[in-house]
Amino acid sequence: MEDKINSGEGENPQNEVSRVEMRLPEEFVRFSPLQRVEHLLVMIFFIVLVITGLPQGFFETSWAAWIIMSLGGIDITRFIHRVFGILFAALAIWHLGRVTLLVLLRKARPSMIPTFKDFSDATGTLKYYLGLSEEHPKFDRYDYRQKFEYWGLMIGGIIMIVTGFILYFPVFFTELLPGVIIPVAKVVHGYEALLAFLVIIIWHMYGAHFNPDVFPFDSSIFTGKISRERMEKEHHLEYARLLRSLAKDGEDKKSTGEEKSNYV
């Protein structure tokens, strides 16, 4: 019996999981270099589009007039806005094409697709903070808030791109569609831009800066890494799945975070 115990045969799987956990690194690779570059580009494009776009919608105000004049006038402001709008559209097409291809080739898991669990997690979180439940929901690689923000960006981005091109080429589109499409596109483009700006300022700024768990700054999207403590707390289901996988395979090489590269 002693030889059997020492050789590891018949051992409790939980003990193996515990030993694997002790060998895990202090940080996990959460985002690939490509994902980090995409985020950086979106951030730069969004800032430029806001600075050059919102003043055009509020041109009668003093602050908008000051920004437009500081950029060199309305013609230059419009030119910059259109250039970065085209760059944003190209990045969106690239991202959607890359993700779709990876999923179709089964080289990545579509972890951003909303599920029924996301709805139950949202209600469960609300109940927890209202004191109606003692257990906080456990999240996978992405929680419902991150999925909401991602799809808000994607859907809002598509709306902005479509309406932006309609305003950029009004003659072409009015030959295909009724002329009323131009003022409709202008209204939708403006309100969607304002909504996106408010979501970033209120929702995203809190999650990335003012959330007590990451204050004053969540650097994971720039470094690509997340601490083991945050991984276990914020993405417990993914953390537990990784432990089980390592315990089953007995491969320490995956503890560097390679398992996470199979997500989009």
Side-chain angles (χ1 to χ4, degrees):
M1 182 179 293
E2 183 177 354
D3 292 340
K4 185 176 183 180
I5 294 177
N6 290 338
S7 65
E9 297 179 8
E11 188 174 10
N12 188 337
Q14 186 61 39
N15 294 335
E16 179 64 22
V17 170
S18 299
R19 281 208 299 270
V20 170
E21 190 171 18
M22 293 177 61
R23 299 197 301 268
L24 290 177
E26 292 301 317
E27 291 184 325
F28 290 86
V29 176
R30 179 161 173 78
F31 299 108
S32 69
L34 182 56
Q35 289 173 318
R36 285 142 54 189
V37 170
E38 284 183 341
H39 176 270
L40 179 62
L41 291 176
V42 168
M43 183 180 70
I44 294 173
F45 294 168
F46 182 84
I47 291 174
V48 175
L49 288 170
V50 167
I51 293 176
T52 58
L54 285 183
Q56 295 186 55
F58 298 91
F59 63 92
E60 295 180 345
T61 63
S62 58
W63 64 267
W66 179 82
I67 292 178
I68 291 174
M69 295 306 298
S70 298
L71 293 174
I74 188 61
D75 290 335
I76 295 179
T77 301
R78 287 175 175 171
F79 176 77
I80 297 174
H81 189 77
R82 289 167 178 171
V83 168
F84 277 85
I86 293 173
L87 292 175
F88 179 79
L91 180 61
I93 294 172
W94 153 261
H95 174 77
L96 287 175
R98 180 181 68 85
V99 170
T100 302
L101 183 61
L102 289 175
V103 172
L104 291 177
L105 295 177
R106 297 186 177 181
K107 293 184 178 181
R109 304 177 186 178
S111 53
M112 271 294 184
I113 300 297
T115 64
F116 286 109
K117 185 180 183 307
D118 295 312
F119 293 97
S120 62
D121 285 345
T123 57
T125 302
L126 181 61
K127 291 179 181 179
Y128 176 80
Y129 285 120
L130 291 177
L132 302 178
S133 174
E134 296 181 357
E135 183 178 359
H136 193 285
K138 293 180 173 59
F139 304 127
D140 208 321
R141 179 165 179 79
Y142 299 110
D143 60 41
Y144 67 93
R145 293 163 296 195
Q146 294 168 323
K147 292 182 180 181
F148 173 83
E149 189 170 351
Y150 174 82
W151 285 105
L153 172 63
M154 294 305 300
I155 296 174
I158 292 173
I159 293 174
M160 294 298 292
I161 291 170
V162 171
T163 56
F165 274 103
I166 290 175
L167 296 174
Y168 194 11
F169 302 102
V171 176
F172 171 79
F173 282 99
T174 51
E175 290 179 352
L176 303 175
L177 301 169
V180 71
I181 192 67
I182 303 302
V184 170
K186 183 177 180 180
V187 171
V188 172
H189 195 81
Y191 278 110
E192 177 58 34
L194 184 59
L195 177 61
F197 175 72
L198 293 176
V199 168
I200 292 298
I201 291 297
I202 299 174
W203 183 286
H204 187 73
M205 289 295 289
Y206 172 81
H209 295 279
F210 301 117
N211 187 329
D213 292 331
V214 300
F215 184 84
F217 176 63
D218 183 1
S219 62
S220 62
I221 192 60
F222 296 101
T223 64
K225 298 179 179 180
I226 185 174
S227 68
R228 183 168 67 177
E229 180 182 0
R230 281 191 60 197
M231 178 73 169
E232 183 177 10
K233 178 181 179 181
E234 299 176 15
H235 309 282
H236 181 80
L237 298 182
E238 182 187 17
Y239 181 79
R241 183 171 59 251
L242 177 61
L243 287 182
R244 290 193 301 268
S245 175
L246 295 179
K248 180 180 178 180
D249 299 337
E251 297 176 358
D252 291 337
K253 64 179 182 179
K254 289 186 179 180
S255 65
T256 60
E258 294 177 10
E259 191 261 351
K260 281 173 238 359
S261 63
N262 294 327
Y263 291 87
V264 291

